[in-house]
Amino acid sequence: MVQDDAVVDQSLLERIHDEVRPLIGTGRVADYIPALAAVNARGFGLAVASADGEVFGVGDYRVPFSVQSLSKVFAFGLALSLETGRIWDRVGHEPSNHAFNSLLQLERDRGVPRNPFVNAGALVTVDQLLSRTGDAVGALRAFVRAEAANPDIDVDKAVATSERDNCHRNAALAHLIASYGNLDNDIDAVLDHYVAQCALAMSCRDLALAGRFLVRHGVRAGGGRLLSAADTKRLNATMFVCGMYDGVGEFAYRVGLPAKSGVGGGIVAVVPGRYVICVWSPGLDASGNSVAGVAALEALSAATGWSAF
Amino acid sequence: MVQDDAVVDQSLLERIHDEVRPLIGTGRVADYIPALAAVNARGFGLAVASADGEVFGVGDYRVPFSVQSLSKVFAFGLALSLETGRIWDRVGHEPSNHAFNSLLQLERDRGVPRNPFVNAGALVTVDQLLSRTGDAVGALRAFVRAEAANPDIDVDKAVATSERDNCHRNAALAHLIASYGNLDNDIDAVLDHYVAQCALAMSCRDLALAGRFLVRHGVRAGGGRLLSAADTKRLNATMFVCGMYDGVGEFAYRVGLPAKSGVGGGIVAVVPGRYVICVWSPGLDASGNSVAGVAALEALSAATGWSAF
Amino acid sequence: MVQDDAVVDQSLLERIHDEVRPLIGTGRVADYIPALAAVNARGFGLAVASADGEVFGVGDYRVPFSVQSLSKVFAFGLALSLETGRIWDRVGHEPSNHAFNSLLQLERDRGVPRNPFVNAGALVTVDQLLSRTGDAVGALRAFVRAEAANPDIDVDKAVATSERDNCHRNAALAHLIASYGNLDNDIDAVLDHYVAQCALAMSCRDLALAGRFLVRHGVRAGGGRLLSAADTKRLNATMFVCGMYDGVGEFAYRVGLPAKSGVGGGIVAVVPGRYVICVWSPGLDASGNSVAGVAALEALSAATGWSAF
Amino acid sequence: MVQDDAVVDQSLLERIHDEVRPLIGTGRVADYIPALAAVNARGFGLAVASADGEVFGVGDYRVPFSVQSLSKVFAFGLALSLETGRIWDRVGHEPSNHAFNSLLQLERDRGVPRNPFVNAGALVTVDQLLSRTGDAVGALRAFVRAEAANPDIDVDKAVATSERDNCHRNAALAHLIASYGNLDNDIDAVLDHYVAQCALAMSCRDLALAGRFLVRHGVRAGGGRLLSAADTKRLNATMFVCGMYDGVGEFAYRVGLPAKSGVGGGIVAVVPGRYVICVWSPGLDASGNSVAGVAALEALSAATGWSAF
């Protein structure tokens, strides 16, 4: 349940920063591509954006980092808006007990990814965006620029190139999906746009602002509607049960908010109807979630009583 | 997000009843034991209890039915209250992708059940209650009687006996858990108490009233504290990601509330901080959830905007 | 292919003994029950029996040890003889990729064990023997006594009692099989006879002699027929693909003979049409197969050219 | 056990042909590519080649058909000969319980295929042949031409092209293997050679003759050595436990010979030390094995007593 008296302010975020400081720099930085491994392992940023766009932040909350899987939330929201719900025929909304890039369940489910927040689901999302827009990553970039009011948001080309050269596993997922007839576009094009979207560089501030449609019942920052209230509720609910890989239950238990994490060290969390939180710190735990990031969200949830329940 | 203006009243419940009437009697009544198969397949009840004990109800909302797995919520709440959290060492809080009585994951997880809402988790809960109280089902019955202010709540002996004679699969679960050292009491005693707790007969009204600690931040109907607010939040969060078997994502998508279902046809759902809903209708879908019950919750959620998000 | 010129004699076995001597005492002795853990870890015996009953042996080949899973071969042969093939409806003949006592596949296959050489299959075998004979272990004991011409073969009561007190996992298997309707007798009786059969104490000499029906096309030592030639061939073939747990391929690759191992450290292997080999040494590898035993069979196979192929 | 008195002659094969005639045309012809679906569904051929090259045959035993997975046996034998055993570090020898093109186990085993007879294993084999020879399919074609004394054996270009256009699943396997670092060559090149090898067109006569190294202890038709006797034994043993996909146990039970099947409807079976059998008929059972082909091998095994045991 969202406590009505829970108020966020600068001093609260500073206390949280102090509390998790010993954890910053712990965990393991993603190093499967050189461009990611080069990040400052001691970076930490935390931003909270209210529904109407007020932002509080501490630490490196204006420093852009590689969004990686955080892009899945925005891409799926955009795909859903262009499709009035039909994408749910191509991707499920059940949690996955397996690691984020597992082929096990994809094969068992005959090419229909479990949910939009695993890599397979994101590939289908990109495929759908490509079919609708002709330029999936371009459409996504335009969307997040507008929502965050930051025209400088862009793809980090070095990261994208490096990921494209190391994407055998995503290629395997794409071919497997295609073998079941659930991919419409050329696989190379899908992979190009997928790695580009993962390589978007955004700050905690950008991400918190860009995620506000999730707490504005589907209404965009500029006032237009992206999604219906019902679709937005469904997206939050699906994120709650699917957004943290195989750590979904642990995160629900400790924090209790819909959230999505990325191997770049970012986590976007939603205080229903009120705030979007984005935290970033590159050191990851065994499930691929930011160590200091999860701890910060837990502390923030404990301090404010913010929870979905 | 919980809409502040959503008000429940008798006429709303009657509209919901009308809306789902075509579904009542559809689905398949659980028939693995004769005592359950004898239920009125066309039964339907719906009750909503507010945090402070006001109850609205329609249909057979005062007719007792076999609670079956709904008992898991109350037993676990009780066990948690007696243990100040230590039971979480013996049972996890991750969703299960498998059917409710699967041994697959239990073996993979070396005897630690995935969560308290699958049969294996409930066996561990009963074992813990037995160790603490000496009479697990007696303690549970006393608890629900007190919360529902109904001293007539009792175990249906015919159902209990019938289930005890047909519990090879639960016996297999219990022996497997024991083989990993995660069961302290005699297996026959654990099974006796487990089937008795499943055979509790309660009405929608009873169940909605008894579940109020979930919306009162852990405070019992009589004012004493069962659980801390944090533990109650965790219990709701865990129920959200684990309470509906392998249909967790589907239910989150359609309804968006923490809930637990039982093969007797009942579902208890929680509107965080505000209401406990209990709906009952014996016809089940393929996942073992009440067809008319899920539809009623979906309609209620749509009509009121009630959701965790 | 069986080399026609491969002749076994005492000096050959002594060479093999010398060759594997450094491995004797390595590996891990089964210690899940005290009675097994008390065995002499440095024991080693090797016996070869020809089809007509000539026996060569070295080391402790006359020392009785706990046959454990080796009993599965004899029990199944006996059950097959009493059933003229119908037991194959209750148990399959496909290899298992999982550990010997896994419930995973049993659940996936809806209560039909993968093959007679995993514990689940042996429980079904015992159940069938119980139904036919009224005394499964008695019938089995009579059979091996007759084949080995040794009236002293008997159940080690201390081992049987100890196993019965520690058989939660086999009880889980039995209940799971029963839940699918594939067990006819009382579960306690099945478990009693199962642990008794595993606790038979026999020497390498006993076991090599008792297994001769496997190389005599189904004809017993005394001249009567146990199985048809076709059934015997099928039993050998099934043992080849199923007899060594999850090490089937490795053993086929290294040795290339039908064989069955037991956690007591024994292995019975079949040189088709010619010899039965039994080797024993208690130290086990990670798959539960005797380290020195497998090495001895590999050396013997290399020295003689004995192989099924 | 191989019966010494079992003699193959023309009239025996004609009796087998008569016996299985009712099954010819039953089952389902592989139709995942048009070029395969165009085959004569009522075709049937059976050839038996002795170790020294005498051939008996009936039906369409001189009609070339698409060898598909039968190529795996020859390619692996060739790769093994060029590598003196090191390829066993890159591919296992354990049976697979899953369908022939499953990614499940490949992921679980971290990119090391279970055995050389599943698609993943064949891709690694092709990769190794490519590295050694520069022209994997060319080397393979030269080998089978020489062994079968038939210079007309060639790749069916229409089949190869058609398979290359429909190989998403093999591409997924290849990328997954590559993601674990177990593929050295360019993926497109590996796939080109893989589909070409599958598209080799050979007759039953060709295949029976070409497989003689398996019954000549590794010695080629022309007298040179392909493999050591020990390696040949291991190859036969591995084929016995791995050659018939998820129908390994069923085939061992019914026929009892090392064998490999292909979706073109061919099966190559080995009578250890004596004969190579090749049978062909396009109608497949649920496991992808030729219905009339398996029946013919079972009848032949029953008539002659041929078996590994």
Side-chain angles (χ1 to χ4, degrees):
Chain A
M1 198 207 59
V2 180
Q3 306 280 341
D4 284 345
D5 53 357
V7 173
V8 68
D9 60 20
Q10 195 63 25
S11 73
L12 171 65
L13 299 196
E14 278 160 15
R15 268 191 294 134
I16 303 295
H17 192 176
D18 288 343
E19 193 172 330
V20 303
R21 212 177 292 272
L23 294 171
I24 298 171
T26 68
R28 193 159 172 277
V29 174
D31 58 1
Y32 64 96
I33 55 168
L36 278 182
V39 77
N40 170 21
R42 299 202 53 81
F44 176 89
L46 171 62
V48 177
S50 69
D52 54 11
E54 192 180 12
V55 180
F56 297 90
V58 290
D60 307 313
Y61 79 106
R62 289 176 176 275
V63 175
F65 60 91
S66 192
V67 303
Q68 296 295 320
S69 289
L70 303 182
S71 61
K72 293 177 168 77
V73 179
F74 301 95
F76 190 75
L78 195 56
L80 196 53
S81 78
L82 296 173
E83 288 297 317
T84 60
R86 284 195 30 242
I87 194 169
W88 287 119
D89 297 338
R90 297 181 60 190
V91 60
H93 30 67
E94 293 299 332
S96 164
N97 280 337
H98 296 280
F100 66 100
N101 50 9
S102 172
L103 289 106
L104 293 175
Q105 288 189 317
L106 188 55
E107 185 171 21
R108 208 170 280 149
D109 296 335
R110 307 195 61 74
V112 177
R114 293 287 286 188
N115 63 64
F117 304 119
V118 291
N119 288 17
L123 288 164
V124 168
T125 304
V126 166
D127 183 59
Q128 184 116 337
L129 281 178
L130 256 182
S131 296
R132 296 294 142 179
T133 67
D135 178 7
V137 73
L140 179 62
R141 184 176 48 194
F143 174 68
V144 293
R145 282 178 176 176
E147 297 303 297
N150 179 358
D152 295 334
I153 294 172
D154 214 338
V155 173
D156 182 325
K157 293 240 164 25
V159 171
T161 303
S162 181
E163 296 223 40
R164 191 65 179 88
D165 292 342
N166 292 278
C167 73
H168 276 309
R169 187 164 268 268
N170 286 318
L173 288 167
H175 279 289
L176 187 55
I177 296 167
S179 77
Y180 288 109
N182 196 15
L183 216 62
D184 297 328
N185 293 280
D186 177 72
I187 285 179
D188 281 328
V190 171
L191 290 171
D192 287 344
H193 283 262
Y194 175 78
V195 300
Q197 124 181 350
C198 289
L200 277 168
M202 295 172 69
S203 67
C204 290
R205 179 191 165 86
D206 293 334
L207 285 155
L209 285 170
R212 278 177 298 151
F213 69 97
L214 294 166
V215 296
R216 291 165 58 94
H217 316 299
V219 176
R220 293 183 57 161
R225 181 167 287 284
L226 182 75
L227 301 174
S228 70
D231 275 345
T232 309
K233 174 187 113 173
R234 285 176 194 133
L235 184 49
N236 279 318
T238 304
M239 190 156 58
F240 194 92
V241 296
C242 308
M244 299 296 282
Y245 310 135
D246 50 354
V248 156
E250 181 69 14
F251 189 83
Y253 178 82
R254 287 175 62 185
V255 179
L257 296 173
K260 181 79 203 83
S261 66
V263 293
I267 306 175
V268 169
V270 171
V271 185
R274 303 189 65 196
Y275 296 109
V276 181
I277 312 169
C278 181
V279 62
W280 168 71
S281 194
L284 307 178
D285 64 21
S287 303
N289 299 324
S290 168
V291 174
V294 172
L297 290 169
E298 188 176 19
L300 198 53
S301 162
T304 58
W306 289 343
S307 156
F309 307 111
Chain B
M1 197 207 59
V2 181
Q3 305 280 342
D4 285 345
D5 53 357
V7 173
V8 69
D9 61 19
Q10 195 63 28
S11 72
L12 171 65
L13 299 196
E14 279 160 16
R15 270 192 291 135
I16 302 293
H17 192 178
D18 288 343
E19 193 172 330
V20 304
R21 212 178 292 272
L23 293 172
I24 299 171
T26 67
R28 192 155 174 278
V29 173
D31 59 0
Y32 65 97
I33 56 167
L36 278 183
V39 78
N40 170 23
R42 299 201 52 80
F44 176 88
L46 171 63
V48 177
S50 69
D52 54 11
E54 192 180 14
V55 179
F56 298 88
V58 290
D60 308 313
Y61 81 105
R62 288 174 177 277
V63 176
F65 61 90
S66 193
V67 303
Q68 297 296 318
S69 288
L70 302 181
S71 60
K72 292 176 167 77
V73 179
F74 301 96
F76 190 75
L78 196 55
L80 197 53
S81 78
L82 298 173
E83 288 298 317
T84 58
R86 284 194 31 241
I87 193 169
W88 287 118
D89 296 338
R90 297 181 59 191
V91 60
H93 29 68
E94 292 299 330
S96 163
N97 280 337
H98 297 280
F100 66 99
N101 50 10
S102 172
L103 289 105
L104 293 176
Q105 287 189 318
L106 188 55
E107 187 171 19
R108 208 170 281 150
D109 296 335
R110 306 196 61 74
V112 176
R114 293 287 286 189
N115 62 66
F117 304 120
V118 292
N119 288 17
L123 289 164
V124 168
T125 304
V126 167
D127 182 59
Q128 184 116 337
L129 281 177
L130 258 181
S131 296
R132 296 293 143 181
T133 67
D135 178 6
V137 74
L140 179 62
R141 184 176 48 193
F143 173 67
V144 293
R145 281 179 177 175
E147 297 304 297
N150 179 358
D152 297 334
I153 293 171
D154 214 338
V155 172
D156 181 326
K157 293 242 164 22
V159 171
T161 303
S162 181
E163 296 221 41
R164 191 66 179 87
D165 292 342
N166 292 278
C167 73
H168 277 309
R169 187 165 267 269
N170 286 318
L173 288 168
H175 279 289
L176 187 55
I177 296 167
S179 78
Y180 289 109
N182 196 14
L183 216 63
D184 296 328
N185 293 280
D186 177 72
I187 284 179
D188 280 328
V190 171
L191 290 172
D192 287 344
H193 283 261
Y194 175 79
V195 301
Q197 124 181 351
C198 289
L200 278 168
M202 294 172 72
S203 68
C204 291
R205 179 190 165 86
D206 292 334
L207 285 155
L209 285 170
R212 279 177 298 151
F213 70 96
L214 294 165
V215 296
R216 291 164 60 91
H217 316 298
V219 176
R220 291 185 59 162
R225 181 166 288 283
L226 183 74
L227 301 174
S228 70
D231 275 344
T232 309
K233 175 189 113 173
R234 285 176 195 134
L235 185 48
N236 279 318
T238 304
M239 189 156 60
F240 194 93
V241 295
C242 308
M244 301 295 282
Y245 310 135
D246 50 353
V248 156
E250 180 70 13
F251 189 83
Y253 178 82
R254 287 177 60 186
V255 179
L257 297 172
K260 180 77 204 82
S261 67
V263 293
I267 306 174
V268 168
V270 170
V271 185
R274 303 189 62 194
Y275 296 110
V276 181
I277 312 169
C278 181
V279 61
W280 169 70
S281 193
L284 307 178
D285 64 22
S287 303
N289 299 324
S290 169
V291 174
V294 173
L297 290 169
E298 187 176 18
L300 198 52
S301 161
T304 58
W306 288 344
S307 156
F309 307 111
Chain C
M1 197 207 57
V2 180
Q3 306 280 343
D4 284 347
D5 52 357
V7 173
V8 68
D9 60 19
Q10 196 62 28
S11 73
L12 171 64
L13 298 196
E14 279 160 14
R15 269 191 293 135
I16 302 293
H17 191 176
D18 288 343
E19 192 171 332
V20 303
R21 210 178 294 270
L23 294 172
I24 299 171
T26 68
R28 192 156 174 279
V29 173
D31 58 0
Y32 65 97
I33 56 168
L36 279 182
V39 76
N40 171 20
R42 299 202 52 82
F44 176 88
L46 172 62
V48 177
S50 69
D52 54 11
E54 192 179 15
V55 179
F56 297 89
V58 290
D60 307 313
Y61 81 106
R62 288 175 176 277
V63 175
F65 61 89
S66 193
V67 303
Q68 296 295 320
S69 288
L70 303 181
S71 60
K72 293 177 168 75
V73 179
F74 302 95
F76 190 75
L78 195 56
L80 197 55
S81 79
L82 296 173
E83 287 297 317
T84 58
R86 283 195 29 241
I87 194 170
W88 286 120
D89 297 338
R90 296 181 60 191
V91 60
H93 30 66
E94 292 299 332
S96 164
N97 280 338
H98 296 280
F100 65 100
N101 50 9
S102 172
L103 290 106
L104 292 177
Q105 288 189 317
L106 187 55
E107 186 171 20
R108 209 170 279 151
D109 296 334
R110 305 196 61 75
V112 177
R114 293 287 288 188
N115 63 64
F117 304 120
V118 290
N119 287 17
L123 288 164
V124 168
T125 304
V126 166
D127 182 59
Q128 184 117 337
L129 281 177
L130 257 182
S131 296
R132 297 293 141 180
T133 67
D135 179 6
V137 73
L140 179 62
R141 185 177 47 194
F143 173 68
V144 293
R145 281 179 176 175
E147 297 304 296
N150 179 358
D152 296 334
I153 293 172
D154 213 338
V155 173
D156 181 326
K157 293 240 164 24
V159 171
T161 303
S162 181
E163 297 222 39
R164 191 67 178 87
D165 292 341
N166 293 277
C167 73
H168 276 308
R169 187 163 269 268
N170 286 318
L173 289 167
H175 279 289
L176 187 56
I177 296 167
S179 77
Y180 289 109
N182 196 16
L183 215 63
D184 296 329
N185 293 279
D186 178 72
I187 285 179
D188 281 328
V190 171
L191 290 172
D192 287 343
H193 283 262
Y194 175 79
V195 300
Q197 125 181 350
C198 288
L200 279 168
M202 296 173 70
S203 68
C204 290
R205 178 190 165 88
D206 293 334
L207 284 155
L209 285 169
R212 278 176 299 151
F213 69 96
L214 294 166
V215 296
R216 290 165 59 94
H217 316 298
V219 176
R220 292 183 59 160
R225 180 168 288 283
L226 183 75
L227 300 174
S228 70
D231 275 344
T232 309
K233 174 188 114 174
R234 285 174 194 135
L235 185 48
N236 280 319
T238 304
M239 190 155 58
F240 194 93
V241 295
C242 309
M244 300 296 281
Y245 312 134
D246 50 353
V248 157
E250 181 70 14
F251 189 83
Y253 177 83
R254 288 176 59 186
V255 179
L257 297 173
K260 180 79 202 84
S261 67
V263 292
I267 306 173
V268 169
V270 171
V271 185
R274 304 188 63 194
Y275 296 109
V276 181
I277 312 169
C278 181
V279 62
W280 168 71
S281 194
L284 308 178
D285 64 21
S287 304
N289 300 323
S290 169
V291 174
V294 172
L297 290 168
E298 186 176 19
L300 198 53
S301 162
T304 58
W306 290 344
S307 156
F309 306 110
Chain D
M1 197 208 60
V2 180
Q3 305 280 342
D4 284 346
D5 52 358
V7 173
V8 69
D9 60 19
Q10 195 63 28
S11 72
L12 171 65
L13 298 197
E14 278 160 14
R15 270 191 292 133
I16 302 295
H17 191 178
D18 288 343
E19 193 172 329
V20 303
R21 210 177 293 272
L23 293 172
I24 298 171
T26 68
R28 190 154 175 281
V29 174
D31 58 0
Y32 64 97
I33 56 167
L36 278 182
V39 77
N40 171 22
R42 298 201 52 80
F44 176 88
L46 172 62
V48 177
S50 69
D52 54 10
E54 191 179 16
V55 180
F56 298 89
V58 291
D60 307 314
Y61 81 105
R62 289 176 177 276
V63 175
F65 61 90
S66 193
V67 302
Q68 297 294 321
S69 288
L70 303 181
S71 60
K72 293 176 168 75
V73 179
F74 302 95
F76 190 74
L78 195 56
L80 196 53
S81 79
L82 297 173
E83 287 297 317
T84 59
R86 284 196 29 242
I87 194 169
W88 288 119
D89 296 339
R90 297 181 59 190
V91 59
H93 30 67
E94 292 299 331
S96 164
N97 280 338
H98 296 279
F100 64 99
N101 51 9
S102 173
L103 289 105
L104 293 176
Q105 288 189 316
L106 187 55
E107 186 172 19
R108 209 169 280 149
D109 296 335
R110 305 196 60 74
V112 176
R114 294 288 287 189
N115 63 64
F117 303 120
V118 291
N119 288 17
L123 288 165
V124 168
T125 305
V126 166
D127 182 59
Q128 184 116 339
L129 281 177
L130 256 182
S131 297
R132 295 293 142 181
T133 67
D135 178 6
V137 74
L140 179 62
R141 184 176 50 194
F143 173 68
V144 293
R145 282 179 175 174
E147 296 304 297
N150 179 358
D152 296 333
I153 293 171
D154 214 337
V155 173
D156 181 325
K157 294 242 165 20
V159 171
T161 303
S162 181
E163 296 223 39
R164 191 66 180 87
D165 291 342
N166 292 277
C167 72
H168 277 309
R169 188 166 267 268
N170 286 318
L173 288 167
H175 278 290
L176 187 55
I177 296 167
S179 77
Y180 289 108
N182 196 15
L183 216 62
D184 297 328
N185 292 280
D186 176 73
I187 285 180
D188 281 328
V190 171
L191 290 171
D192 287 344
H193 283 262
Y194 176 79
V195 301
Q197 124 181 351
C198 288
L200 278 167
M202 296 172 70
S203 69
C204 290
R205 178 189 166 87
D206 292 334
L207 285 154
L209 285 170
R212 279 177 298 151
F213 70 96
L214 295 166
V215 295
R216 291 165 59 92
H217 316 299
V219 176
R220 293 184 58 161
R225 181 166 288 282
L226 183 75
L227 301 174
S228 70
D231 275 344
T232 308
K233 175 188 112 174
R234 285 175 194 136
L235 184 49
N236 279 319
T238 304
M239 188 155 61
F240 194 93
V241 295
C242 308
M244 300 296 280
Y245 310 135
D246 50 353
V248 156
E250 180 71 13
F251 189 83
Y253 178 82
R254 287 176 62 185
V255 179
L257 297 173
K260 181 78 204 83
S261 67
V263 293
I267 306 174
V268 168
V270 171
V271 185
R274 302 189 64 194
Y275 295 110
V276 181
I277 313 170
C278 181
V279 61
W280 168 70
S281 193
L284 307 178
D285 64 21
S287 302
N289 300 323
S290 169
V291 174
V294 173
L297 290 169
E298 188 176 19
L300 197 53
S301 162
T304 58
W306 289 345
S307 156
F309 306 110

